[in-house]
Amino acid sequence: MAVQRALIGCQDFQWSGAHMFAQGIDPYADYLAGDPRHAVLMSQVPNYLHEYYVALWPIGLMSFGHAKVLWTGLNLLFAVAIVLLLRSVYGLSRKQAYLLAMLLAISTPFRIAVGSGQQALLETLLVCVALWKPSQSGMMLGMSYFKYSFSPIFFFYAAACRAWKQIAMSLVLAAGGLLVFWARVHGSLLKVLAEPFMVSRWGMEHRTDGDLISLTNMVYPRGYNAAIVLALALSAGFAFLAHRRSPTFAGAIAALAAINLALLPHGTHDAVLLSVPSAWLMANARWSLAIFAGGVSISMFWFGFKLVPLRHYPVTSQLLHMGLLAVLFVVVLSGDRSCEQFNASLQGAPHTTAVC
């Protein structure tokens, strides 16, 4: 069903922006000017960072019909790669990997991500590659900046770890994307730098499925800018807490993947990122009560919320979403520490992925 929807619609795939960029047109400026060329198809608002349109340049040279077939195929490959990498990182058995793949494939976020041509699976894949090969985490972080509601908490975690080389690599990559974009479309460099944020601020709806900024915008719209500052400050706080409390890189990233969704705006499709804490929970199944609490949290995002009639109670819905993500963060963070202590007592040395 997801593939069929993608081949018919793929309404959120960023082909429009890539197609304009391939022609030397600034997609941000065009959209902010009211889309006079009528070049933005469906809901393909160009609100991602410059590097993404540079990366999609070859796809922008294709027709939309051919491009969405390619992107749908890539999204399916991303999902397969996510499961394989998580199996390697967390030491999952073959049965656990099959279970994770099945649950992800039938989940609501996956179906929406593939059907609408979203970028959430690509972002999740970048996180998984960084987990699998930490030496390349700087490059993965730099690539992840294109969807800048995902990356701040991981940037702050790198800062907490004093991984300055990785941070520098990520910033060089993002700056390179900006310069290539600017060289292609010309204009003021500062204006080009600010444009994606202007599109996000004035051209997008700021209400999603359960995060601090969306909640603030719902109950007190005038506090939107303050909510952004608070969300970034909390992202930094949670990142430093994960660095201090989690003895493993894999455990810290699993915890941060959960709480990240509660701070900055994300859609239902972005919950595919919960495949990371899902793999952690499967790997650490010894902790039964924690596994149950974490499993319930993920199940609600993957299967439950579409069945719960909360549309008429938007504030309650936002708080429930955020509360479940906070529970998952605590479960992973505390369980990771407990598992590390358990492994150390048995083996006399810390385990790299805290698998009990």
Side-chain angles (χ1 to χ4, degrees):
M1 182 182 295
V3 172
Q4 184 180 24
R5 284 184 56 196
L7 297 180
I8 295 173
C10 221
Q11 67 273 13
D12 293 336
F13 176 37
Q14 289 295 304
W15 177 84
S16 295
H19 185 61
M20 281 189 277
F21 173 71
Q23 299 176 71
I25 300 169
D26 184 343
Y28 308 118
D30 184 87
Y31 182 78
L32 290 170
D35 189 24
R37 296 179 175 84
H38 304 289
V40 178
L41 303 183
M42 295 179 280
S43 54
Q44 299 177 14
V45 178
N47 63 313
Y48 294 87
L49 218 57
H50 314 86
E51 59 185 24
Y52 190 52
Y53 300 105
V54 174
L56 291 182
W57 192 343
I59 292 180
L61 296 172
M62 303 170 64
S63 69
F64 180 52
H66 289 101
K68 63 183 179 181
V69 172
L70 175 60
W71 185 249
T72 301
L74 287 174
N75 261 333
L76 296 177
L77 289 176
F78 294 158
V80 172
I82 286 166
V83 173
L84 292 176
L85 290 172
L86 289 176
R87 181 189 179 190
S88 175
V89 169
Y90 292 104
L92 302 181
S93 68
R94 180 176 297 181
K95 289 183 178 179
Q96 287 175 321
Y98 282 145
L99 177 60
L100 177 61
M102 182 190 70
L103 292 175
L104 177 61
I106 65 176
S107 69
T108 299
F110 176 81
R111 288 186 283 109
I112 294 176
V114 174
S116 62
Q118 271 288 343
Q119 288 64 231
L121 285 164
L122 174 56
E123 277 285 356
T124 303
L125 177 61
L126 295 176
V127 173
C128 293
V129 173
L131 282 170
W132 178 64
K133 199 165 186 179
S135 63
Q136 300 301 315
S137 58
M139 184 178 296
M140 297 304 107
L141 178 62
M143 293 171 65
S144 77
Y145 289 155
F146 80 84
K147 188 173 171 68
Y148 39 86
S149 60
F150 261 76
S151 50
I153 201 165
F154 300 116
F155 174 89
F156 290 130
Y157 180 73
C161 296
R162 298 184 179 180
W164 307 123
K165 180 179 177 180
Q166 305 299 336
I167 290 176
M169 185 185 303
S170 74
L171 294 176
V172 167
L173 189 62
L178 169 63
L179 292 175
V180 171
F181 186 96
W182 174 60
R184 180 68 176 164
V185 303
H186 307 295
S188 165
L189 179 59
L190 290 178
K191 180 175 177 290
V192 169
L193 173 62
E195 283 175 339
F197 307 105
M198 294 168 64
V199 172
S200 292
R201 180 65 181 93
W202 290 293
M204 300 291 293
E205 182 180 357
H206 300 289
R207 176 176 168 181
T208 51
D209 290 321
D211 59 82
L212 179 63
I213 293 178
S214 298
L215 177 63
T216 302
N217 196 55
M218 185 185 302
V219 298
Y220 186 60
R222 295 176 60 184
Y224 178 79
N225 291 331
I228 293 177
V229 174
L230 178 59
L232 291 174
L234 287 174
S235 295
F238 281 118
F240 278 81
L241 177 63
H243 171 64
R244 290 181 61 86
R245 298 291 298 176
S246 177
T248 68
F249 178 57
I253 296 300
L256 293 176
I259 200 64
N260 187 30
L261 298 179
L263 299 174
L264 296 167
H266 295 94
T268 300
H269 50 271
D270 291 321
V272 295
L273 183 62
L274 295 181
S275 55
V276 179
S278 294
W280 185 95
L281 290 174
M282 289 181 178
N284 295 284
R286 173 179 175 271
W287 304 95
S288 56
L289 183 59
I291 293 300
F292 176 77
V296 168
S297 299
I298 294 174
S299 296
M300 287 298 294
F301 281 89
W302 279 11
F303 310 108
F305 277 123
K306 293 301 179 182
L307 304 176
V308 180
L310 291 174
R311 179 175 297 181
H312 301 296
Y313 308 96
V315 174
T316 300
S317 176
Q318 295 274 345
L319 292 173
L320 180 58
H321 278 77
M322 295 168 65
L324 289 172
L325 291 168
V327 167
L328 184 57
F329 174 79
V330 171
V331 165
V332 176
L333 201 62
S334 59
D336 190 53
R337 192 173 184 85
S338 300
C339 285
E340 182 69 13
Q341 293 169 349
F342 177 76
N343 285 326
S345 67
L346 291 181
Q347 303 171 12
H351 195 290
T352 56
T353 58
V355 178
C356 294

